[in-house]
Amino acid sequence: MRDITAASPPCDGGANDFSPQSTVLHAFDMKLTRAKDLKTSNSYILQSYEGAHLHLKYGELIDARRAFKNALAPPNVESQPPDDKFDQIEIRMQIALVEMYLGSYKASEQNFLSIKQELDCMAAIASNELRDKLRFRCRRCLASCRLLMGQWEEAVTEMNSILNDNPDKSHIRLYRDLALAYASICRYSEARRCIELAEMKVEEKYGLEREPTNELQTELQTRLQTKKASIKVAMAIIDILAGDYQAALTSASNTMELVDARDVRYKAIKTLKAWCLVFNGKYFEAEELLPVTYKIMNNKFDRSRPQTLDTMSCLVYVYKCEGRVGSAILYGKGLDRLCTEWVTEEGVKYPQAIRSKFLLATAFLRNGQYTKSKQVIDEVVDQAKHVMGATHPETLRYKSEQARIIFCLGNVSKARDLALRVATQQLELYSFNPSTTNPKETNLSHLRDALNQSSTTPHPFLVSTLELIANIEARKHLLSSCEGGYLDLDIPREILTIIRQSYSKTSPWNEVLLSYINYSLAKIRRAGSASADEFPKATELFAKAYEDLKSCIGKKHLDTLCALRELGITECIGLFPRLDSETARMGTILAESLNTMQRLQRRLRPFHQETLRSQLCYLTIDMLLDGDANWNKMCQEITESLSNPKVVNERLVESLDMKWQLAFIFIGAGMPQEVAGLVDDAILEIDRRESGEEDDLLREPLSDLRVDFLELRQSIRDGGENEVTTGESEERSMTE
């Protein structure tokens, strides 16, 4: 049997993040050879070179590339290209760097490889020191390029090799990039150690910050500020990858104070800060930073460049988190199209393009377009496994969301199996006693024990998967208990409690995530309630989740309104046995339920899943209280919405679940004719889909639903509505 309080999937909130590998780190922070240091005396080459540097200063990358190419091969026949071999290599390296900043990673990598091979093949000459210097820079830039391409293991190997081969250099940039490469493969302690070394090298090279007294000191202090800003940006990115969003926000905010607002890097750092804000649940603050920033990025770098795509990605993510799903899908489709054009031109899939497609999948999910979301997430997972590796943290994150989508589509068993495998791999990845997490022995008790034995705060990606598993267990509990079985919810409740305690100790490490944990705990408590005495505990948890969400993301936010809705139906069921003494409170709950439903209707489409859930909740409460709702009108609206072709095509199982719930509302309201028509329509829809269903994903849930509806129809024909009603799960019997 299916219960009114069990249908909604978990809120899509703070735990559902993805990690940006921001290109802001490389935003024009390169050591350029000045024109006066070139050996050539050709005035045209010198002017072109100086012009290129000026374009770089203002972020005009395409113009800078053109100027460098003109310096290498002057279009004027009277001007000759540089005759010095090292001058030529210097300019070619600048072109390769600009290509890297423009997102042409493959071309940049090939150019650096070509230059490196030339330098390796050069015979020992008088300028051997210069050759070694160029070779060192070429190797470092090649490693940075591989970092941006997502070749993190190769980048780590190459960077460590450079460090070993050049022990006398300061390696500030190299330590910074190595820190990012380590963090990208989940080696956070080594990443933070590299950041410490980079900070130490900065102090050694440039000295302590002090008031400059001459031009040289002014230049040194400027360089010091630039290096410190670059390292803080890296720290913020590492904290994001590690899930420490509060620390990331602090680093990003401090970085903005070190960079001139007129500097093009300032715009990129604003995007980074926006990411940090949204990961901390400060959606509206993040949005305030983005539109103007995106416009500037679009004008500066062109729409298809990594810097612009990063800003656009953040904007899509903000819209999705705010519940503005229409805008999220619109921008998400545009973002995915631009990324597809980018990687098609390159001929290589890059992590940034995969993340953009993942954003589109989550936007579809948020909008109730489960089938489309499944199609996109399958592409994402396949690409991520190929580019990043099957057990990379981001790949596992995508698999976790794939399991969530399968759960929403209705296949509880397949979603559970996948989610458990992902959680086990994440436990090992994030060092939660890997010896206790043998994939062949994956079960909930192993997950609980691994969490219990560790003092580490679980990573948000792991928390997201564990929340999903808890919601799946709650769903299985309701299904199994109605079939005469019983599924113990103690272990999933213990898992969420351990997580909540861990996050409570580090508050305000991630207050938004803690709010969603409380929400999931409330759902677990409600699903496992065997008597009315248990509902007050669930009500208390929902009230806590609602207050926390209202404080963190605002009372008008979609997830806050959904939490208020769930609080109302839970409290109503808990108070129902004492209806005579709780009349005033029940009336208040009914009014709040109506208000919540109307607010969601204004924000969302009539057939959006949250709108329909709110209508069903309101009708349930009104039925229990013998209220005065316009039943005929509302039931007609709900029935039409559930039969809408988009709803049927995108979320068939969920629509049938809702029809099941509506049937029992009709039964409770004494409307047997409406029940019969609804049940017949549901069986007809199942038969139609089963006859043409090729994908086995829906076969199991549709088969189970068909049996349930057939039993219900037979009971109605036999005149056994009372037996149907009282034969529901114990949770459902509280409403009769």
Side-chain angles (χ1 to χ4, degrees):
M1 299 293 180
R2 286 153 178 82
D3 183 66
I4 183 70
T5 60
S8 50
C11 284
D12 184 19
N16 298 333
D17 306 324
F18 79 104
S19 304
Q21 182 66 52
S22 176
T23 54
V24 66
L25 172 71
H26 294 283
F28 329 121
D29 179 25
M30 55 183 174
K31 187 174 182 181
L32 296 168
T33 300
R34 298 180 181 180
K36 65 183 182 63
D37 296 324
L38 295 177
K39 296 181 180 299
T40 183
S41 59
N42 188 310
S43 61
Y44 180 87
I45 294 174
L46 295 175
Q47 288 175 7
S48 297
Y49 200 88
E50 287 287 5
H53 281 217
L54 193 61
H55 286 307
L56 281 178
K57 180 179 179 181
Y58 295 104
E60 298 160 351
L61 298 179
I62 296 175
D63 291 333
R65 178 175 60 183
R66 185 185 305 113
F68 277 129
K69 286 186 175 181
N70 286 343
L72 186 64
N76 189 339
V77 294
E78 297 179 359
S79 300
Q80 297 297 319
D83 51 5
D84 185 85
K85 186 66 175 177
F86 290 121
D87 281 355
Q88 293 178 15
I89 289 176
E90 178 67 48
I91 298 172
R92 285 168 58 197
M93 284 181 61
Q94 304 297 351
I95 294 171
L97 277 168
V98 176
E99 293 282 4
M100 184 173 73
Y101 302 147
L102 284 169
S104 299
Y105 301 145
K106 193 66 179 177
S108 178
E109 179 193 36
Q110 291 172 348
N111 287 335
F112 280 127
L113 282 171
S114 175
I115 293 170
K116 180 177 176 295
Q117 289 172 357
E118 285 186 40
L119 292 168
D120 288 343
C121 294
M122 278 187 178
I125 54 176
S127 301
N128 191 47
E129 183 179 345
L130 179 57
R131 183 199 65 187
D132 292 343
K133 182 180 178 181
L134 288 171
R135 185 175 180 277
F136 164 77
R137 287 174 52 201
C138 184
R139 290 180 65 192
R140 187 185 65 202
C141 292
L142 181 59
S144 297
C145 188
R146 286 172 174 161
L147 168 65
L148 292 174
M149 294 174 73
Q151 298 175 8
W152 299 301
E153 295 284 359
E154 293 89 337
V156 166
T157 301
E158 179 63 19
M159 290 176 189
N160 277 313
S161 175
I162 297 171
L163 288 171
N164 292 332
D165 294 344
N166 302 271
D168 299 331
K169 294 184 179 294
S170 59
H171 297 303
I172 297 170
R173 291 182 189 80
L174 195 59
Y175 277 123
R176 178 202 64 191
D177 287 2
L178 181 57
L180 275 173
Y182 274 135
S184 296
I185 53 177
C186 213
R187 294 164 66 175
Y188 304 125
S189 59
E190 290 157 285
R192 292 193 167 100
R193 175 56 182 159
C194 287
I195 288 293
E196 292 174 2
L197 289 170
E199 290 177 324
M200 183 179 70
K201 297 293 184 181
V202 167
E203 298 298 340
E204 289 177 359
K205 186 170 183 178
Y206 297 104
L208 298 174
E209 192 171 349
R210 59 177 67 89
E211 191 67 30
T213 58
N214 55 48
E215 186 177 341
L216 177 60
Q217 287 183 353
T218 300
E219 183 177 349
L220 287 175
Q221 290 303 307
T222 301
R223 290 185 185 179
L224 174 61
Q225 293 292 87
T226 300
K227 297 300 178 187
K228 290 176 71 173
S230 174
I231 293 170
K232 285 189 178 297
V233 165
M235 286 175 60
I237 295 174
I238 291 166
D239 286 331
I240 289 174
L241 293 172
D244 192 347
Y245 302 140
Q246 184 66 38
L249 179 57
T250 301
S251 294
S253 300
N254 292 340
T255 306
M256 291 185 70
E257 298 175 3
L258 297 173
V259 180
D260 192 319
R262 296 167 297 181
D263 194 318
V264 68
R265 285 174 294 188
Y266 186 80
K267 314 304 178 189
I269 295 169
K270 281 179 70 175
T271 299
L272 179 63
K273 183 177 179 180
W275 277 116
C276 298
L277 285 168
V278 72
F279 289 155
N280 281 278
K282 302 180 186 297
Y283 306 137
F284 298 107
E285 291 181 43
E287 187 183 352
E288 288 177 357
L289 292 176
L290 288 170
V292 175
T293 304
Y294 171 65
K295 184 177 180 181
I296 293 171
M297 290 289 194
N298 196 12
N299 293 338
K300 284 282 185 186
F301 304 129
D302 187 65
R303 294 182 69 197
S304 59
R305 301 310 173 191
Q307 295 87 348
T308 311
L309 295 175
D310 189 41
T311 305
M312 192 175 181
S313 296
C314 192
L315 195 59
V316 173
Y317 190 72
V318 169
Y319 286 151
K320 193 264 293 187
C321 290
E322 286 180 338
R324 295 167 59 182
V325 288
S327 297
I329 290 173
L330 179 64
Y331 277 80
K333 286 180 176 178
L335 175 65
D336 183 53
R337 184 176 64 254
L338 290 171
C339 285
T340 300
E341 292 172 358
W342 173 38
V343 297
T344 300
E345 180 183 335
E346 286 283 281
V348 181
K349 294 290 184 184
Y350 295 136
Q352 190 172 358
I354 298 172
R355 295 179 192 120
S356 299
K357 192 175 288 290
F358 174 67
L359 271 180
L360 182 59
T362 59
F364 280 138
L365 176 63
R366 183 76 155 171
N367 200 37
Q369 296 173 267
Y370 302 156
T371 302
K372 281 189 179 179
S373 183
K374 176 67 166 53
Q375 292 170 353
V376 178
I377 199 67
D378 287 347
E379 280 187 63
V380 170
V381 171
D382 288 343
Q383 292 175 9
K385 286 193 291 189
H386 176 71
V387 174
M388 304 176 185
T391 58
H392 186 271
E394 288 188 60
T395 304
L396 294 178
R397 174 72 191 92
Y398 304 150
K399 287 182 179 179
S400 175
E401 200 67 12
Q402 188 180 41
R404 187 185 306 279
I405 294 167
I406 293 171
F407 175 52
C408 290
L409 280 167
N411 196 318
V412 179
S413 300
K414 187 170 183 178
R416 184 179 189 270
D417 291 343
L418 178 56
L420 282 172
R421 288 198 303 271
V422 171
T424 302
Q425 291 174 310
Q426 287 177 322
L427 282 169
E428 184 170 354
L429 184 69
Y430 298 119
S431 302
F432 280 83
N433 299 318
S435 60
T436 67
T437 57
N438 186 343
K440 296 181 180 179
E441 301 176 354
T442 298
N443 57 46
L444 290 175
S445 60
H446 283 110
L447 299 180
R448 177 199 57 194
D449 294 343
L451 288 169
N452 243 334
Q453 295 167 17
S454 175
S455 59
T456 306
T457 301
H459 191 283
F461 288 1
L462 172 60
V463 172
S464 179
T465 307
L466 294 174
E467 274 191 291
L468 171 61
I469 291 171
N471 281 281
I472 291 173
E473 294 302 300
R475 183 70 171 150
K476 283 179 66 67
H477 167 83
L478 289 165
L479 295 174
S480 63
S481 62
C482 295
E483 294 168 359
Y486 183 74
L487 185 67
D488 189 2
L489 290 179
D490 286 345
I491 294 179
R493 185 163 54 237
E494 288 173 19
I495 287 173
L496 291 182
T497 301
I498 293 168
I499 296 171
R500 184 176 66 167
Q501 291 172 347
S502 178
Y503 272 77
S504 297
K505 293 175 184 177
T506 58
S507 184
W509 199 62
N510 195 325
E511 293 179 354
V512 180
L513 187 53
L514 189 59
S515 302
Y516 287 106
I517 294 169
N518 285 329
Y519 183 89
S520 294
L521 259 175
K523 291 174 69 176
I524 288 286
R525 174 68 70 176
R526 183 177 64 187
S529 297
S531 68
D533 294 337
E534 293 293 322
F535 273 91
K537 298 177 182 178
T539 301
E540 183 180 345
L541 284 169
F542 271 120
K544 173 65 174 169
Y546 168 67
E547 291 298 329
D548 288 347
L549 287 169
K550 185 169 67 172
S551 172
C552 291
I553 60 180
K555 65 180 181 180
K556 297 181 180 179
H557 192 278
L558 175 61
D559 290 343
T560 308
L561 292 174
C562 292
L564 179 60
R565 176 194 66 204
E566 300 301 320
L567 170 61
I569 186 68
T570 307
E571 187 177 3
C572 179
I573 295 173
L575 294 177
F576 183 70
R578 307 192 302 275
L579 179 59
D580 292 340
S581 61
E582 297 287 351
T583 305
R585 178 58 191 155
M586 294 290 262
T588 302
I589 293 173
L590 180 62
E592 288 177 346
S593 178
L594 176 61
N595 182 47
T596 302
M597 180 188 73
Q598 291 172 340
R599 291 167 72 179
L600 285 169
Q601 284 177 322
R602 286 194 295 268
R603 286 196 58 183
L604 302 169
R605 298 167 302 160
F607 45 86
H608 190 279
Q609 68 270 22
E610 299 301 350
T611 304
L612 293 169
R613 286 175 190 141
S614 299
Q615 289 175 318
L616 289 170
C617 279
Y618 173 69
L619 284 178
T620 302
I621 296 172
D622 187 81
M623 176 192 69
L624 294 175
L625 302 182
D626 294 324
D628 56 356
N630 189 339
W631 276 71
N632 289 333
K633 180 182 177 182
M634 284 195 64
C635 290
Q636 183 180 357
E637 289 177 357
I638 296 174
T639 304
E640 289 176 356
S641 295
L642 291 175
S643 300
N644 184 287
K646 290 184 178 179
V647 174
V648 173
N649 291 333
E650 290 292 339
R651 48 181 198 272
L652 175 60
V653 173
E654 185 178 82
S655 70
L656 291 168
D657 263 331
M658 290 184 176
K659 284 184 178 181
W660 177 269
Q661 296 160 26
L662 186 58
F664 274 92
I665 292 174
F666 284 153
I667 291 172
M671 302 167 67
Q673 254 186 326
E674 286 78 359
V675 177
L678 195 67
V679 170
D680 288 343
D681 288 344
I683 294 173
L684 184 63
E685 185 58 52
I686 293 172
D687 290 343
R688 186 185 303 119
R689 179 58 70 93
E690 282 187 327
S691 64
E693 186 63 44
E694 297 179 359
D695 184 7
D696 64 352
L697 188 63
L698 299 183
R699 191 169 292 126
E700 178 185 328
L702 287 179
S703 177
D704 292 342
L705 278 163
R706 191 175 191 279
V707 171
D708 288 341
F709 276 111
L710 285 171
E711 289 179 354
L712 179 56
R713 181 166 68 180
Q714 188 61 45
S715 298
I716 294 170
R717 289 175 176 175
D718 294 343
E721 291 91 340
N722 292 331
E723 286 77 7
V724 173
T725 303
T726 56
E728 270 196 293
S729 64
E730 293 183 22
E731 296 88 348
R732 178 65 192 174
S733 69
M734 296 306 304
T735 67
E736 307 306 325

